[in-house]
Amino acid sequence: MTAEPRLRTADFDYDLPPELIAQEPLPERAASRLLMLIRADRREGSASDRRAGADPARRPGRRSGVFRQPDMLPGDTRAVGGAVLVDSLFSQLPSIIPPGDLLVLNTTKVRHARFMGTRPSGAPAEVLLIHPGPGDTWVAMGKPGSALQPGKRVELGEGAAVETVEVLPDGNRMVRFVGLAADDAIARFGRLPLPPYITRPPTAADETRYQTVYARVEGSVAAPTAGLHFTTELLDSLSGKGVVISGLDLEVGPGTFKPVEVEDPREHPMHPERYEITPRLAALIELVQEQGGRIWAVGTTVVRALESAAGPDGKVPAGAGETSLMIVPGYTFRVVDRLITNFHLPRSTLLMLVCAFAGRELTLAAYHHAVAASYRFYSYGDAMVIL
């Protein structure tokens, strides 16, 4: 990781009125608004390129990073510092992704990982499963910490409980289920873990709307929210026009909500997240790159998985791994060319990644515009695409 000198967490702050934090999904997924950000060095006619300093021998067949915009952009436009912002709709996405480009999705599914139980005193306690541990154990977190000490149990009901086995060095817990197998406990007592900024309990609608339409294997404690806007019809439309679509799996952990509290964001501890790149995706990335296509990441989780897996030459091998990659301004992207993402929390690692991709000043200018234009923020909010 490289970073600009004198990087400060305070440089990634912005004011967000609470009423712009989306508490409910829209009735239709693809009805979300889409803020297009066309960077100054991507506009047609620009001679610059993000990889101008890269060895061209390492990038055979790659065309320039210039975005060749349609004759008419799908929305109202305004200039910001040499770049262009376009207020559009997510349903217009097929009009801006060219045939032959590769759209990469995160196909993870949110696990019903939240358990609300009671301590022996009858006081409430909460457990959140993160991922399976050795044997029949799970790595978890919860509150209050005093209820999750070795040997203590959080009662779930019907004779089932979560017992703490060990306090791990990072503060997480090793736990196991008592009185019921883990799969049965998750099915019977597990709740969908909505983000902390959604201040209502989960409903039946969240069972489908807080999952992407292409979610496959349970493993995450949060949804890859950029994907929540896609419908089967929209994906079919993209595929029908020649856009290549494939997926990877990255298990989103609770660290995605952890605020950056240190002054220098490079000192922020990133919790590892598991990912897997399929042989099909690895082959498609190589093929699309060789043919001059662009790699579109749907969400910051896809960015972190691809950039973590990539070698110095930008080649992405198949296989599984863990990533603790912290991406901040100054990072050189080796794989991802375009980014579709939601609007993120101030001072968050996700916002810092977006700033690394688009530039801090331009990203914050786009966010300020989104606030002024009453875009909806966070998981159930609107989206932006960085070109």
Side-chain angles (χ1 to χ4, degrees):
M1 178 190 69
T2 58
E4 295 175 341
R6 299 167 61 185
L7 203 62
R8 301 181 310 151
T9 297
D11 294 334
F12 301 91
D13 205 356
Y14 68 93
D15 292 326
L16 179 67
E19 61 269 21
L20 295 185
I21 300 174
Q23 296 294 316
E24 304 280 350
L26 293 176
E28 300 294 332
R29 290 180 185 263
S32 299
R33 298 168 72 185
L34 178 68
L35 180 60
M36 295 173 54
L37 193 164
I38 308 174
R39 293 166 288 180
D41 62 343
R42 294 299 178 275
R43 297 177 63 189
E44 189 168 7
S46 169
S48 60
D49 184 85
R50 183 171 69 237
R51 296 193 180 97
D55 180 357
R58 293 181 175 179
R59 315 293 301 184
R62 298 307 299 273
R63 64 176 181 244
S64 78
V66 172
F67 169 65
R68 301 193 178 280
Q69 63 192 45
D71 292 336
M72 290 190 64
L73 288 168
D76 296 329
T77 65
R78 67 187 63 221
V80 177
V84 173
L85 295 178
V86 184
D87 293 310
S88 188
L89 295 173
F90 201 86
S91 58
Q92 295 296 316
L93 190 65
S95 70
I96 63 172
I97 305 181
D101 279 9
L102 173 61
L103 186 73
V104 184
L105 315 171
N106 183 0
T107 60
T108 190
K109 189 174 184 178
V110 183
R111 178 183 284 121
H112 287 67
R114 191 180 213 174
F115 294 83
M116 310 301 292
T118 58
R119 291 171 273 177
S121 66
E126 178 180 340
V127 178
L128 179 69
L129 302 181
I130 300 176
H131 59 75
D136 64 348
T137 65
W138 287 75
V139 176
M141 59 191 303
K143 58 184 179 181
S146 59
L148 297 172
Q149 297 299 316
K152 290 190 175 183
R153 294 183 178 184
V154 174
E155 302 292 336
L156 302 177
E158 301 178 22
V162 179
E163 181 180 76
T164 300
V165 177
E166 180 184 355
V167 178
L168 301 175
D170 61 1
N172 289 331
R173 269 53 171 179
M174 193 77 74
V175 303
R176 65 184 174 200
F177 288 93
V178 178
L180 203 60
D183 289 346
D184 293 335
I186 291 170
R188 189 172 301 181
F189 298 107
R191 298 185 182 184
L192 203 66
L194 292 179
Y197 43 75
I198 294 180
T199 58
R200 59 171 177 79
T203 65
D206 295 312
E207 294 293 326
T208 55
R209 294 305 302 276
Y210 196 61
Q211 305 278 12
T212 64
V213 297
Y214 46 78
R216 293 180 182 173
V217 180
E218 284 193 350
S220 289
V221 301
T225 55
L228 296 179
H229 309 281
F230 285 90
T231 63
T232 302
E233 294 75 16
L234 187 59
L235 291 167
D236 288 344
S237 176
L238 288 163
S239 182
K241 68 170 287 189
V243 175
V244 185
I245 302 174
S246 188
L248 57 78
D249 186 278
L250 182 140
E251 297 178 355
V252 185
T256 190
F257 302 119
K258 183 176 175 60
V260 179
E261 298 173 338
V262 292
E263 182 177 355
D264 186 342
R266 292 167 293 188
E267 298 176 358
H268 174 77
M270 292 288 286
H271 292 174
E273 293 175 317
R274 302 175 178 183
Y275 67 87
E276 184 171 1
I277 310 287
T278 64
R280 177 179 184 270
L281 175 59
L284 283 173
I285 290 172
E286 184 174 7
L287 178 63
V288 168
Q289 289 177 337
E290 288 177 349
Q291 294 180 346
R294 294 279 133 183
I295 309 301
W296 294 64
V298 179
T300 58
T301 60
V302 171
V303 175
R304 294 183 65 240
L306 292 179
E307 295 294 325
S308 297
D313 59 355
K315 301 292 185 182
V316 178
E322 284 191 344
T323 176
S324 298
L325 180 63
M326 173 77 164
I327 296 179
V328 296
Y331 178 86
T332 299
F333 290 87
R334 295 174 287 183
V335 183
V336 177
D337 301 294
R338 307 285 187 256
L339 174 59
I340 300 168
T341 185
N342 277 21
F343 295 97
H344 302 295
L345 280 73
R347 298 179 175 233
S348 66
T349 61
L350 307 183
L351 178 57
M352 293 174 187
L353 184 153
V354 175
C355 288
F357 195 80
R360 187 185 68 85
E361 292 185 2
L362 182 55
T363 298
L364 292 180
Y367 270 57
H368 291 150
H369 167 75
V371 169
S374 297
Y375 275 72
R376 303 166 77 245
F377 277 65
Y378 303 166
S379 295
Y380 275 146
D382 296 314
M384 68 184 300
V385 57
I386 302 171
L387 304 166

